[in-house]
Amino acid sequence: MSEWVIPKDFQQTPFFQDSSLALRIDVEKDFEEQLHDGYFLYDIQEKLGEGVVKPWTNASLYIPIVFRCWKEEKVKIGEVFQQRKNKEAKEPMTRWVAHFISVLFWMNDQPVPSIVHLNEQIPTLAYKPINVWERLSFMLQRPQLHHSYSQLSELYTEIEKIYYKKSIMNIKK
């Protein structure tokens, strides 16, 4: 198990709010297992100069795994909302919003540079869903709402289409 202090660029609500927090990564776990343990793991490692795995350099290997895991987790989160246990939905919603942000940047061939300045960074990305920042900011403020879940589901559907369209366009080049 490796441990790093979370950089200030990643200390942001609702993700990491305390500067004393440490990022723990079990290097024995594979990418898919790590999706369930935390978020921004590879981006933070890169920020600290410790990055070994760089999903943005081989997006075709990593991003489809995120999409597949989201589709499985989406069902479970949906059931939590159906049972009206909104408070229980906050943690998995926060995790999958974080993974969405990672995919958004990885699809644009870069790590997430910071979550503190997302409002400035997201508009510069070439590949992104329409009004993505407005939709994300709503979800980040209210991850426990069913409407946030609906928005996140829509964003994953849109980003998956954009990702595969980009992949096809790159093949034709």
Side-chain angles (χ1 to χ4, degrees), residues 1 9-10 27 57 60 117 119 163:
M1 175 100 40
D9 285 341
F10 284 85
V27 293
T57 63
S60 63
H117 303 289
N119 62 326
Y163 169 75

Side-chain angles (χ1 to χ4, degrees), residues 103-136:
V103 166
L104 185 61
F105 280 87
W106 297 352
M107 176 172 96
N108 283 277
D109 306 316
Q110 59 182 297
V112 177
S114 165
I115 57 173
V116 174
H117 303 289
L118 283 174
N119 62 326
E120 298 166 10
Q121 297 158 340
I122 288 177
T124 67
L125 298 174
Y127 300 99
K128 61 187 177 282
I130 295 171
N131 298 329
V132 67
W133 171 244
E134 292 81 4
R135 295 155 78 186
L136 272 174

Side-chain angles (χ1 to χ4, degrees), residues 16 28 43 60 68 74 80 104 133 151 164 166:
F16 307 108
E28 300 296 316
D43 310 287
S60 63
R68 182 176 43 78
K74 174 184 168 183
V80 171
L104 185 61
W133 171 244
Q151 278 296 315
Y164 285 114
K166 177 188 176 213

Side-chain angles (χ1 to χ4, degrees), residues 7 13 21-22 50 110 113 126 129 139 143-144 146 149 157-158 160 166 171:
T13 304
L21 284 175
E50 302 284 343
Q110 59 182 297
M139 289 185 292
Q144 72 282 2
H146 186 271
Y149 169 73
T157 299
E158 292 171 34
E160 187 171 11
K166 177 188 176 213
I171 291 171

Side-chain angles (χ1 to χ4, degrees), residues 36-144:
H36 298 286
D37 289 348
Y39 34 80
F40 303 122
L41 304 177
Y42 305 102
D43 310 287
I44 290 172
Q45 284 181 0
E46 180 69 13
K47 185 83 168 176
L48 297 172
E50 302 284 343
V52 176
V53 175
K54 300 179 182 200
W56 52 92
T57 63
N58 193 0
S60 63
L61 176 63
Y62 295 100
I63 290 178
I65 294 171
V66 177
F67 291 150
R68 182 176 43 78
C69 290
W70 159 250
K71 288 173 186 169
E72 294 167 5
E73 193 73 17
K74 174 184 168 183
V75 173
K76 295 175 189 171
I77 297 170
E79 289 170 358
V80 171
F81 279 113
Q82 283 181 339
Q83 297 167 1
R84 306 224 187 274
K85 297 180 179 178
N86 293 22
K87 289 182 181 179
E88 290 179 28
K90 185 175 182 179
E91 187 280 324
M93 280 292 296
T94 300
R95 184 168 11 99
W96 287 97
V97 168
H99 293 324
F100 175 85
I101 293 167
S102 291
V103 166
L104 185 61
F105 280 87
W106 297 352
M107 176 172 96
N108 283 277
D109 306 316
Q110 59 182 297
V112 177
S114 165
I115 57 173
V116 174
H117 303 289
L118 283 174
N119 62 326
E120 298 166 10
Q121 297 158 340
I122 288 177
T124 67
L125 298 174
Y127 300 99
K128 61 187 177 282
I130 295 171
N131 298 329
V132 67
W133 171 244
E134 292 81 4
R135 295 155 78 186
L136 272 174
S137 62
F138 176 85
M139 289 185 292
L140 292 171
Q141 293 170 11
R142 301 167 195 89
Q144 72 282 2

